[in-house]
Amino acid sequence: MLSITAEVVHQALMFPKLVNALQVAFTESIEVPPRLHFDMENPNASRETTLLMMPAWQAGDVAGIKLVTVAPENSQKNLPSIQGTYLLLDVDTGSIKAMMDAPSLTAKRTAAASALAARFLSRENSSTLLVVGTGTLAPQLIAAHASVRPIRQVYVWGRDIKKALQVCQQVEHLNINCKAVDELEPHVKLADIISCATLSTKPLIFGRWLQAGQHLDMVGAYRPDMREMDDTCLTRSKVFVDNIESAVRETGDIAIPLAENVITQADINADLFSLCRKTFVFNRTDEDITVFKSVGHALEDLAAAKLVSEFVLKK
């Protein structure tokens, strides 16, 4: 059994190769049961610790399961908020092929899914990116979006501008002008793509700020009580998700507006399955605003884990 570190996962999963692999995976026959989501009471924190179990398999090939915990207040303990492992198995024999670091795998595939959506939904000449949030995903989202669009200017906003500056330092190798900013509204208005990856429970992005032609990439708000955008973002936009089944249940950005009849499920235009299989073709107009809401899908993990395993075996 291979034991694969976070460093090797990052080496193996380069953009846009991973973006392309996800696009193919969304067209293939991969079995993905509903993920198991448990909120475990934690008296030592103000919020529960979440346990996620995400299985997927491809007949006659490989299977995988991701075991992840999310402890939102871990930053106060100098620990990552997301921890866990990914197991890749051989379907034929049932044996474990590899065990690899799950947070790095998750960060890479999540950013790649956002870039894949942007490939279908954002303007082809999008050159300015605003990243909201300064966690592990921020530099990955910058690199992923820059692999599919001609990004030249990046703004990074977070509650701590020192952390925003650190994100810019982490992407210096991309040769993109990156600037940490302390005001959100004016930079939302400047951006072609707004990528939001936070643990916020209240909206950070407001629909009244949005401009024609923009694309919103909403990555955080992984629980039904979390939100990163307000209702107006949805009512002003054409809405897309990575997978409809999970999006309507698991993220407050979609579940709350559905429950309050702000939108209906019919207002979700398509998911990545429909876009990649070309059963839904989006023809953007100059006035369109698009929203992509990502909740994560075990298919993405399996496709990424296969790439990592192949990379290690070739070394």
Side-chain angles (χ1 to χ4, degrees):
M1 180 185 73
L2 299 170
S3 182
I4 303 171
T5 65
E7 181 181 2
V8 173
V9 170
H10 284 298
Q11 291 173 2
L13 298 180
M14 303 298 291
F15 309 114
K17 183 178 180 179
L18 177 56
V19 179
N20 295 337
L22 292 192
Q23 184 165 345
V24 171
F26 273 102
T27 69
E28 294 181 328
S29 179
I30 297 176
E31 294 293 326
V32 181
R35 72 180 176 184
L36 299 177
H37 183 136
F38 303 101
D39 290 324
M40 303 181 293
E41 186 177 348
N42 182 9
N44 299 315
S46 62
R47 292 158 72 177
E48 303 94 336
T49 295
T50 300
L51 171 64
L52 299 171
M53 303 171 67
M54 303 173 66
W57 62 86
Q58 197 163 14
D61 190 5
V62 291
I65 183 166
K66 185 168 73 174
L67 303 173
V68 171
T69 56
V70 184
E73 296 180 8
N74 266 7
S75 60
Q76 301 170 19
K77 304 167 187 175
N78 294 316
L79 291 170
S81 59
I82 300 174
Q83 300 179 78
T85 192
Y86 191 88
L87 296 176
L88 186 68
L89 305 100
D90 182 88
V91 169
D92 182 36
T93 65
S95 60
I96 298 176
K97 292 167 65 72
M99 178 174 67
M100 63 191 74
D101 180 75
S104 56
L105 186 82
T106 302
K108 284 287 189 176
R109 65 80 155 153
T110 301
S114 288
L116 176 58
R119 179 183 280 174
F120 286 108
L121 303 175
S122 68
R123 295 197 310 259
E124 290 187 7
N125 64 348
S126 296
S127 61
T128 302
L129 171 68
L130 167 65
V131 173
V132 179
T134 56
T136 302
L137 264 173
Q140 301 299 333
L141 286 164
I142 294 170
H145 281 295
S147 77
V148 299
R149 289 294 183 253
I151 302 297
R152 294 189 294 273
Q153 176 68 58
V154 175
Y155 299 110
V156 180
W157 180 91
R159 299 189 190 280
D160 183 344
I161 197 164
K162 292 181 181 177
K163 291 183 178 179
L165 287 166
Q166 290 171 1
V167 171
C168 285
Q169 291 170 0
Q170 291 177 67
V171 296
E172 286 179 346
H173 65 284
L174 296 176
N175 295 317
I176 294 171
N177 186 34
C178 185
K179 180 180 180 182
V181 298
D182 55 10
E183 291 183 285
L184 195 49
E185 180 180 352
H187 294 93
V188 168
K189 294 179 178 179
L190 289 174
D192 298 310
I193 298 173
I194 300 127
S195 188
C196 200
T198 73
L199 298 174
S200 179
T201 57
K202 296 180 180 180
L204 297 169
I205 307 298
F206 295 90
R208 66 179 182 272
W209 297 349
L210 300 181
Q211 311 295 307
Q214 288 181 316
H215 173 64
L216 276 69
D217 170 40
M218 311 304 289
V219 181
Y222 65 93
R223 288 172 34 145
D225 61 348
M226 289 179 165
R227 296 201 68 173
E228 292 186 306
M229 59 180 164
D230 72 348
D231 291 343
T232 307
C233 286
L234 295 170
T235 57
R236 289 194 63 195
S237 305
K238 296 187 183 298
V239 181
F240 299 83
V241 298
D242 55 357
N243 70 103
I244 291 173
E245 180 185 6
S246 296
V248 300
R249 277 189 299 113
E250 297 188 14
T251 170
D253 273 334
I254 301 293
I256 293 172
L258 282 172
E260 296 177 351
N261 296 315
V262 174
I263 61 170
T264 68
Q265 192 164 322
D267 292 314
I268 301 174
N269 285 263
D271 59 14
L272 283 179
F273 290 97
S274 297
L275 290 169
C276 292
R277 293 171 181 174
K278 299 183 180 179
T279 56
F280 183 97
V281 177
F282 178 58
N283 295 309
R284 169 180 275 281
T285 70
D286 291 341
E287 298 302 311
D288 283 335
I289 300 170
T290 50
V291 166
F292 172 68
K293 178 59 207 167
S294 170
V295 292
H297 198 269
L299 173 153
E300 300 162 4
D301 295 307
L302 186 64
K306 286 175 65 176
L307 281 183
V308 174
S309 178
E310 291 165 5
F311 173 83
V312 173
L313 291 172
K314 287 178 182 177
K315 289 182 71 174

Coordinates of all heavy atoms in Angstrom, one line a residue, residues 57-92:
W57 N -17.0 4.8 -6.6 CA -16.3 3.7 -7.2 C -16.7 3.6 -8.7 O -17.7 4.1 -9.1 CB -16.6 2.3 -6.5 CG -18.0 1.9 -6.6 CD1 -18.7 1.2 -7.5 CD2 -19.0 2.2 -5.5 NE1 -20.0 1.0 -7.2 CE2 -20.2 1.6 -6.0 CE3 -19.0 2.8 -4.3 CZ2 -21.4 1.6 -5.2 CZ3 -20.1 2.8 -3.5 CH2 -21.3 2.3 -4.0
Q58 N -15.8 3.0 -9.4 CA -15.9 2.8 -10.9 C -15.8 1.3 -11.1 O -14.8 0.7 -10.8 CB -14.9 3.6 -11.7 CG -15.3 3.7 -13.1 CD -14.4 4.8 -13.8 OE1 -13.4 5.3 -13.2 NE2 -14.8 5.3 -15.0
A59 N -16.8 0.7 -11.7 CA -16.9 -0.8 -11.9 C -15.6 -1.3 -12.5 O -15.2 -0.8 -13.6 CB -18.1 -1.2 -12.7
G60 N -15.0 -2.3 -11.9 CA -13.9 -3.0 -12.5 C -12.6 -2.2 -12.4 O -11.6 -2.6 -12.9
D61 N -12.6 -1.0 -11.7 CA -11.4 -0.2 -11.7 C -11.1 0.1 -10.2 O -10.5 -0.7 -9.5 CB -11.7 1.1 -12.5 CG -10.4 2.0 -12.7 OD1 -9.3 1.5 -12.3 OD2 -10.5 3.1 -13.2
V62 N -11.4 1.3 -9.7 CA -11.0 1.7 -8.4 C -12.2 2.2 -7.6 O -13.2 2.6 -8.2 CB -9.9 2.7 -8.4 CG1 -8.6 2.1 -8.9 CG2 -10.2 3.9 -9.1
A63 N -12.0 2.1 -6.3 CA -13.0 2.7 -5.4 C -12.2 3.6 -4.4 O -11.0 3.5 -4.2 CB -13.8 1.7 -4.6
G64 N -12.9 4.5 -3.8 CA -12.3 5.4 -2.8 C -13.2 5.9 -1.8 O -14.4 5.9 -2.0
I65 N -12.7 6.2 -0.6 CA -13.5 6.8 0.4 C -12.7 7.9 1.1 O -11.5 7.6 1.5 CB -14.1 5.8 1.4 CG1 -15.0 6.5 2.4 CG2 -13.0 5.0 2.1 CD1 -15.9 5.6 3.2
K66 N -13.3 9.0 1.3 CA -12.6 10.1 2.0 C -13.2 10.2 3.4 O -14.5 10.3 3.6 CB -12.7 11.4 1.3 CG -12.0 12.6 1.9 CD -11.8 13.7 1.0 CE -13.1 14.5 0.9 NZ -13.0 15.7 0.1
L67 N -12.4 10.3 4.4 CA -12.8 10.5 5.8 C -12.2 11.8 6.3 O -11.0 12.0 6.3 CB -12.3 9.4 6.7 CG -12.7 7.9 6.3 CD1 -12.0 6.9 7.2 CD2 -14.2 7.8 6.5
V68 N -13.1 12.8 6.5 CA -12.6 14.1 6.8 C -13.4 14.7 8.0 O -14.6 14.5 8.2 CB -12.9 15.1 5.6 CG1 -12.6 16.5 6.0 CG2 -12.0 14.7 4.4
T69 N -12.6 15.4 8.9 CA -13.3 16.2 9.9 C -13.1 17.7 9.6 O -12.1 18.1 9.1 CB -12.7 15.9 11.3 OG1 -11.3 16.1 11.3 CG2 -13.0 14.4 11.7
V70 N -14.1 18.5 10.0 CA -14.0 19.9 9.9 C -14.3 20.5 11.2 O -15.4 20.4 11.8 CB -15.0 20.5 8.8 CG1 -14.9 22.0 8.7 CG2 -14.9 19.7 7.5
A71 N -13.3 21.2 11.8 CA -13.4 21.8 13.1 C -13.1 23.3 12.9 O -12.0 23.8 12.8 CB -12.4 21.3 14.1
P72 N -14.2 24.1 12.7 CA -14.0 25.5 12.3 C -13.2 26.4 13.2 O -12.6 27.4 12.7 CB -15.5 26.0 12.2 CG -16.3 24.8 12.1 CD -15.6 23.7 12.8
E73 N -13.1 26.1 14.4 CA -12.3 26.9 15.3 C -10.9 26.5 15.5 O -10.1 27.0 16.4 CB -13.0 27.0 16.7 CG -14.4 27.7 16.6 CD -15.1 27.8 17.9 OE1 -14.5 27.5 18.9 OE2 -16.3 28.2 17.9
N74 N -10.4 25.5 14.7 CA -9.0 25.0 14.9 C -7.9 26.1 14.7 O -6.8 25.9 15.1 CB -8.8 23.8 13.9 CG -9.1 22.5 14.6 OD1 -9.6 22.5 15.7 ND2 -8.8 21.4 13.9
S75 N -8.3 27.1 13.9 CA -7.3 28.2 13.7 C -6.8 28.8 15.1 O -5.7 29.2 15.2 CB -7.8 29.3 12.8 OG -9.0 29.9 13.4
Q76 N -7.7 28.8 16.1 CA -7.3 29.3 17.4 C -6.4 28.3 18.1 O -5.8 28.7 19.1 CB -8.6 29.5 18.2 CG -9.6 30.5 17.6 CD -10.9 30.5 18.3 OE1 -11.0 30.0 19.4 NE2 -12.0 31.0 17.6
K77 N -6.3 27.1 17.6 CA -5.4 26.1 18.2 C -4.2 25.8 17.4 O -3.5 24.8 17.6 CB -6.2 24.8 18.5 CG -7.4 25.0 19.3 CD -8.4 23.8 19.3 CE -9.7 24.1 20.0 NZ -10.7 23.0 19.9
N78 N -4.0 26.6 16.3 CA -2.9 26.5 15.4 C -2.9 25.1 14.7 O -1.9 24.5 14.5 CB -1.5 26.6 16.1 CG -1.3 28.1 16.6 OD1 -1.6 29.0 15.8 ND2 -0.8 28.2 17.8
L79 N -4.2 24.7 14.4 CA -4.4 23.5 13.6 C -5.2 23.8 12.4 O -6.0 24.7 12.4 CB -5.1 22.4 14.5 CG -4.4 21.9 15.7 CD1 -5.3 21.1 16.6 CD2 -3.2 21.0 15.2
P80 N -5.1 23.0 11.3 CA -6.0 23.2 10.2 C -7.4 22.8 10.5 O -7.7 21.9 11.3 CB -5.4 22.2 9.1 CG -4.6 21.2 9.9 CD -4.1 21.9 11.2
S81 N -8.3 23.5 9.9 CA -9.8 23.3 10.2 C -10.2 22.0 9.5 O -11.2 21.3 10.0 CB -10.6 24.4 9.7 OG -10.4 24.7 8.3
I82 N -9.6 21.5 8.4 CA -9.9 20.3 7.7 C -8.8 19.3 7.9 O -7.6 19.6 7.6 CB -10.2 20.6 6.2 CG1 -11.3 21.6 6.1 CG2 -10.6 19.3 5.5 CD1 -11.6 22.0 4.6
Q83 N -9.1 18.1 8.4 CA -8.1 17.0 8.5 C -8.8 15.7 8.1 O -10.0 15.6 8.1 CB -7.7 16.9 10.0 CG -7.1 18.2 10.6 CD -6.7 18.0 12.0 OE1 -5.6 17.4 12.3 NE2 -7.5 18.6 12.9
G84 N -7.9 14.8 7.6 CA -8.5 13.5 7.2 C -7.6 12.7 6.3 O -6.4 13.1 6.0
T85 N -8.1 11.6 5.8 CA -7.3 10.8 4.9 C -8.2 10.3 3.8 O -9.5 10.2 3.9 CB -6.7 9.6 5.7 OG1 -5.8 8.9 4.9 CG2 -7.8 8.6 6.1
Y86 N -7.6 9.8 2.7 CA -8.3 9.3 1.6 C -7.7 7.9 1.3 O -6.5 7.7 1.2 CB -8.2 10.1 0.3 CG -9.1 9.7 -0.8 CD1 -10.4 10.2 -0.9 CD2 -8.7 8.8 -1.8 CE1 -11.3 9.8 -1.9 CE2 -9.6 8.3 -2.7 CZ -10.9 8.9 -2.8 OH -11.8 8.5 -3.7
L87 N -8.6 6.9 1.2 CA -8.2 5.5 0.8 C -8.7 5.2 -0.6 O -9.8 5.3 -0.9 CB -8.9 4.5 1.8 CG -8.5 4.6 3.3 CD1 -9.3 3.7 4.1 CD2 -7.0 4.4 3.5
L88 N -7.7 4.7 -1.4 CA -8.0 4.3 -2.8 C -7.9 2.8 -2.8 O -6.8 2.2 -2.3 CB -7.0 4.9 -3.7 CG -7.2 4.7 -5.2 CD1 -8.5 5.4 -5.7 CD2 -6.0 5.2 -6.0
L89 N -8.9 2.1 -3.3 CA -8.9 0.6 -3.3 C -9.1 0.1 -4.7 O -9.6 0.7 -5.6 CB -10.1 0.2 -2.4 CG -10.2 0.7 -1.0 CD1 -11.2 1.8 -0.9 CD2 -10.6 -0.4 0.0
D90 N -8.6 -1.2 -4.8 CA -8.8 -1.9 -6.1 C -10.1 -2.6 -6.0 O -10.4 -3.4 -5.1 CB -7.7 -2.9 -6.3 CG -7.8 -3.7 -7.6 OD1 -7.3 -3.2 -8.6 OD2 -8.4 -4.7 -7.6
V91 N -11.0 -2.4 -7.0 CA -12.4 -3.0 -7.0 C -12.3 -4.5 -7.2 O -13.0 -5.3 -6.6 CB -13.3 -2.3 -8.0 CG1 -14.6 -3.1 -8.2 CG2 -13.6 -0.9 -7.7
D92 N -11.4 -4.9 -8.0 CA -11.3 -6.4 -8.3 C -10.9 -7.2 -7.1 O -11.5 -8.2 -6.8 CB -10.2 -6.6 -9.4 CG -10.1 -8.0 -9.9 OD1 -11.1 -8.7 -9.9 OD2 -9.0 -8.4 -10.2

